[in-house]
Amino acid sequence: MLIDIGFILGTMFMYATPLLYTALGGAISENSGVVNIGLEGMMTIGAFSAATTSYFLQNPWIGFIFGGFAGALLGLVHAVACVSYRADNVVSGIAINFLGPGIALFLARHFFGGTTHTKILDLDKKMPRPFDGVFEQNSFFDLILNQYATMFIALFLVFVVHFVFYYTRVGLRLRSVGEKPTAARTVGIRVVLYRYGAVIVSGFFAGLGGSSLSIAIVSHFWHPLISGQGFIALAAMIFGKWKPIPTMFACLMFGFSQGIAVFLGRVIPATYTELVSMIPYALTLIVLVLFVRRSRAPSALGGQVDE
Amino acid sequence: MTETDAVKLTNITKRFPSVLANDNINFVLKKGEIHALLGENGAGKTTLMNILYGLQRADSGTIEVYGRPVSIHNPNDALSLKIGMVHQHFMLFEPFTVIENIMLGREIHQCGVLDRKKARKKVVDLSESFGLTVDPDSYISEISVAMQQRVELLRILYQGADILILDEPTAVLSPQEIVEFGAILRKLVTSGKSVIVITHKLKEIIDFADRCTVVSRGKVVNTLSVSDVDAHALASMMIGHELQAQVQSHKNAPGPRLLSLQNIYAEDDRGHTAVQGVTLDVHAGEILALTGVDGNGQREIIEVLAGVRKASSGSILLRDQEIQNYSPRMLYESGCANIPEDRHKDGLVFKFTVAENIALRTYRNYVEGPFLRFDKMNHDAVSLIQDFNIYPADPMHAVGEMSGGNQQKVIIARELVDNPEFIVAAHPTRGLDVGAASYVQQSLVQEKERGAAILLISFDLDEILQIANRIAIIYNGKIIAVKSASDLTREQLGLGFAGIAE
């Protein structure tokens, strides 16, 4: 029983990791006033880039950072469209969601001899697990804590982003830009600069989220790897009221439902596995319907500003 | 070098695509004075100040600050010249605290980490030395409009402004708060600040200002010392001709009871009981003014009577017929009209034309099969445009591009066209200049004389005392007094606003 709980909690942390990065990215972009539904596409390109770089350089850390930069590049595209050219944020985001996987598949064919997936990393070339071998294998604590380094970094980043948002000058200004850009401008804040910065960093985080999937949770990139996780992260961010710490709990909740799904998948007949794996997605819908009315988005979200 | 001039604007001209907003304007703000900039909406006051504050660029002309020629490209330039501006629509951030709002853009920090303690001290010091009371740790969404204004003032003082530009600062204040505001202005100038107040309220100018510059249609009409003029002369200068005689309201004997609110309770958006057992009768042929400080339940009553908010209990009778919780359409069909509080949000569809806005109530008259007869709609609008003196006289003109006064006339045309029996008029002259306001008041008086029952929600004491037959004072969601207008003085009304009724 204790082992089962450990298994579910461990799975929760594992599946929450990519959501955490991506949802934090979403929170950064949206607190600056730019809607980012392109998270999915940014995750995809990040996942592909990380897997590819890790494979060729045989170093997961470089791959991880590279995944972030790939996401940031798509973030830049989104920023140019939304901030400079005043594109509708949602439309631009949808375009990003086609662009990300498109580029990823194209490059995969190019680098890996026509296949649509990257080569599988050797186990010792994946993200390391800092607590590997500290606890007895498959013991309660081993199941929970023996996670990839990316998980611990994600949790750490939650508090970093929280600190930046609420305790620093950059954070205050960022939120002011998302709340009332005209007013921010009258006190001399450079709205366009902040929005560019936020959307690019948002892409970087989403890229890290994709990386944490392709070089840690699994060991290569293939087409349906991301399959909606960018959107779940977006839902988690909304459920988390656009704030880092509540967003973390939302991500953990989605991770938990994934843990339940995986656990049930092992104990119930195979005919039901598809139904069970729908749990996280169904939960997304339920949560959005029940809670989103009560949360408050940044006022200027999706709006445009004159400079 | 004239050291006594804080600001000197010379030959400022600014042209917008369709209008010459500032035409060779000359303006001098002396050091240590309160200078009122007076003019109708659209006269070019705000444009001129936006130029001084760097939000807009003049096409030609020069700006001198303390005798030095300067060029101001953006608000940062203005701030470094110690010019600060409080905008008509507050530039505050609701989810931020008072301190965060004040320090934004000029944060006290260490290596990028905010030093809230130091900032708090600076804010508290400033607030004490100028008598600007605020709760430094409250969120903007939690504080009153008057306090929000003090936050705005503190913000520009915190930024180090010596020259303060205040755009329509009293529009949102109650009469009591306006008096306090005047005292604050005095304190500011005695401590060496110079203040420009943009306004179109004549009484305030006489009360607060040292000098005043009258602007009309982009040109300066005159700059004069306030002690040399009276309100009447100012009004004539502002609108460019003699103001028509004051709106006359015959205190005619009211007819039978037409509308009756009986023990109405209603909740506000946050679920608090904002209206707590209001009982009121409005008779045919009378204007009943409902007044009080903003936020005492007026909005909820307005919305209940407009059919957009449900009363939680109580009943509303129109000629003894129960109408509470009717839909807006049912109310309209039973003879109720509604001039809403916020013409931007609730009154008009800005992107629609004048004709379409007028037809929002009556569009069913223009239905032919699945189509709307726009030709008929425009044709009908033309006659209303004439009747209500709407400018520009074009049914196809987008309402969003019209002046506030003309927008209000569009609403009034729509609401009054069918001779309603009962009219709710919520702050019908708010933000309008003298000419447009007197037109609106005139229309209400005419409706009353026709026999309509009018509930006027307003906190403009002049307006209330001028046109209302009876006055009801609301405080904390309850009616604390209903009196005949002739029995009430301004002082009694002021006390009533504070919740004191004898």
Side-chain angles (χ1 to χ4, degrees), chain A residues 29-41:
Chain A
S29 171
E30 303 220 340
N31 270 285
S32 83
V34 179
V35 177
N36 192 351
I37 68 157
L39 292 171
E40 176 89 2

Side-chain angles (χ1 to χ4, degrees), chain B residues 10-312:
Chain B
T10 314
N11 294 327
I12 297 285
T13 297
K14 173 77 182 176
R15 182 183 289 279
F16 289 118
S18 59
V19 65
L20 189 58
N22 288 164
D23 184 2
N24 261 322
I25 286 196
N26 292 303
F27 174 87
V28 173
L29 173 70
K30 287 184 186 164
K31 224 185 211 171
E33 74 166 346
I34 300 176
H35 194 134
L37 192 55
L38 174 70
E40 293 189 285
N41 288 328
K45 303 166 296 198
T46 302
T47 305
L48 186 67
M49 289 302 111
N50 281 345
I51 289 170
L52 178 56
Y53 188 59
L55 285 172
Q56 275 160 350
R57 296 291 305 276
D59 299 333
S60 64
T62 57
I63 305 175
E64 286 171 48
V65 176
Y66 293 119
R68 212 159 45 86
V70 294
S71 61
I72 301 173
H73 300 277
N74 56 48
N76 268 341
D77 291 349
L79 289 174
S80 57
L81 292 165
K82 306 200 164 205
I83 301 171
M85 181 162 177
V86 175
H87 299 265
Q88 182 177 9
H89 302 287
F90 291 162
M91 296 285 184
L92 295 174
F93 299 88
E94 300 230 322
F96 291 7
T97 65
V98 168
I99 294 177
E100 286 170 342
N101 269 282
I102 291 173
M103 72 172 163
L104 185 71
R106 296 279 183 284
E107 300 86 350
I108 297 178
H109 64 98
Q110 261 181 348
C111 311
V113 180
L114 299 172
D115 190 341
R116 286 202 166 81
K117 240 186 192 163
K118 247 189 210 160
R120 188 178 199 283
K121 189 170 177 317
K122 193 170 167 188
V123 169
V124 170
D125 286 351
L126 273 174
S127 111
E128 280 168 2
S129 60
F130 289 103
L132 294 159
T133 321
V134 294
D135 301 331
D137 304 311
S138 297
Y139 289 91
I140 295 299
S141 50
E142 302 166 348
I143 64 177
S144 71
V145 177
M147 190 180 284
Q148 290 179 11
Q149 182 167 56
R150 295 197 288 272
V151 173
E152 284 273 16
L153 277 170
L154 276 173
R155 167 149 82 185
I156 59 176
L157 293 170
Y158 173 99
Q159 290 165 343
D162 274 341
I163 298 162
L164 317 181
I165 308 167
L166 313 178
D167 191 358
E168 302 277 359
T170 56
V172 291
L173 301 183
S174 73
Q176 186 56 39
E177 289 163 342
I178 290 176
V179 174
E180 287 165 16
F181 179 76
I184 290 169
L185 286 188
R186 261 305 138 214
K187 214 162 186 171
L188 286 170
V189 291
T190 48
S191 67
K193 313 277 177 196
S194 316
V195 183
I196 302 173
V197 180
I198 304 177
T199 184
H200 52 239
K201 292 192 182 164
L202 304 165
K203 191 175 168 303
E204 287 165 15
I205 292 173
I206 309 270
D207 289 350
F208 304 157
D210 301 311
R211 292 198 308 149
C212 119
T213 293
V214 184
V215 183
S216 175
R217 291 162 202 270
K219 287 186 175 164
V220 170
V221 179
N222 207 344
T223 297
L224 24 82
S225 200
V226 166
S227 50
D228 298 345
V229 284
D230 61 15
H232 196 74
L234 282 177
S236 315
M237 264 185 244
M238 185 165 113
I239 57 175
H241 53 82
E242 277 293 295
L243 190 63
Q244 40 182 245
Q246 282 213 325
V247 178
Q248 285 300 312
S249 179
H250 303 291
K251 308 283 177 191
N252 53 329
R257 187 183 81 175
L258 195 83
L259 181 111
S260 170
L261 294 173
Q262 289 174 355
N263 210 17
I264 291 289
Y265 282 79
E267 290 180 351
D268 64 16
D269 292 334
R270 286 173 294 180
H272 302 307
T273 308
V275 180
Q276 311 193 12
V278 163
T279 299
L280 269 182
D281 289 339
V282 193
H283 298 260
E286 82 161 348
I287 296 179
L288 173 66
L290 177 66
T291 189
V293 175
D294 213 7
N296 273 296
Q298 293 99 316
R299 168 170 301 162
E300 288 73 21
I301 292 180
I302 294 165
E303 289 180 356
V304 165
L305 286 170
V308 294
R309 181 181 293 276
K310 273 202 162 28
S312 40

Side-chain angles (χ1 to χ4, degrees), chain B residues 266-424:
Chain B
E267 290 180 351
D268 64 16
D269 292 334
R270 286 173 294 180
H272 302 307
T273 308
V275 180
Q276 311 193 12
V278 163
T279 299
L280 269 182
D281 289 339
V282 193
H283 298 260
E286 82 161 348
I287 296 179
L288 173 66
L290 177 66
T291 189
V293 175
D294 213 7
N296 273 296
Q298 293 99 316
R299 168 170 301 162
E300 288 73 21
I301 292 180
I302 294 165
E303 289 180 356
V304 165
L305 286 170
V308 294
R309 181 181 293 276
K310 273 202 162 28
S312 40
S313 70
S315 65
I316 307 172
L317 302 175
L318 180 73
R319 278 177 276 95
D320 301 321
Q321 181 197 355
E322 295 253 1
I323 60 161
Q324 79 268 27
N325 300 336
Y326 266 32
S327 71
R329 171 151 296 274
M330 289 156 82
L331 284 172
Y332 162 69
E333 279 165 0
S334 39
C336 297
N338 188 306
I339 299 168
E341 178 174 24
D342 185 339
R343 57 179 168 268
H344 296 220
K345 218 173 96 219
D346 303 322
L348 297 165
V349 184
F350 268 30
K351 288 184 178 169
F352 280 19
T353 65
V354 174
E356 286 165 347
N357 270 289
I358 289 177
L360 284 178
R361 288 259 194 229
T362 53
Y363 66 94
R364 292 186 185 188
N365 300 347
Y366 305 108
V367 171
E368 235 178 56
F371 300 108
L372 273 179
R373 289 289 303 270
F374 283 97
D375 53 337
K376 269 194 195 167
M377 197 187 281
N378 289 337
H379 179 263
D380 289 357
V382 167
S383 67
L384 283 172
I385 284 170
Q386 276 163 8
D387 292 350
F388 288 86
N389 214 348
I390 295 167
Y391 178 84
D394 172 12
M396 307 288 278
H397 200 84
V399 158
E401 292 163 13
M402 299 165 72
S403 73
N406 283 298
Q407 289 175 350
Q408 194 71 336
K409 286 180 188 170
V410 173
I411 294 178
I412 288 175
R414 175 179 74 215
E415 296 300 323
L416 302 188
V417 60
D418 284 339
N419 294 331
E421 282 186 287
F422 172 62
I423 302 163
V424 181

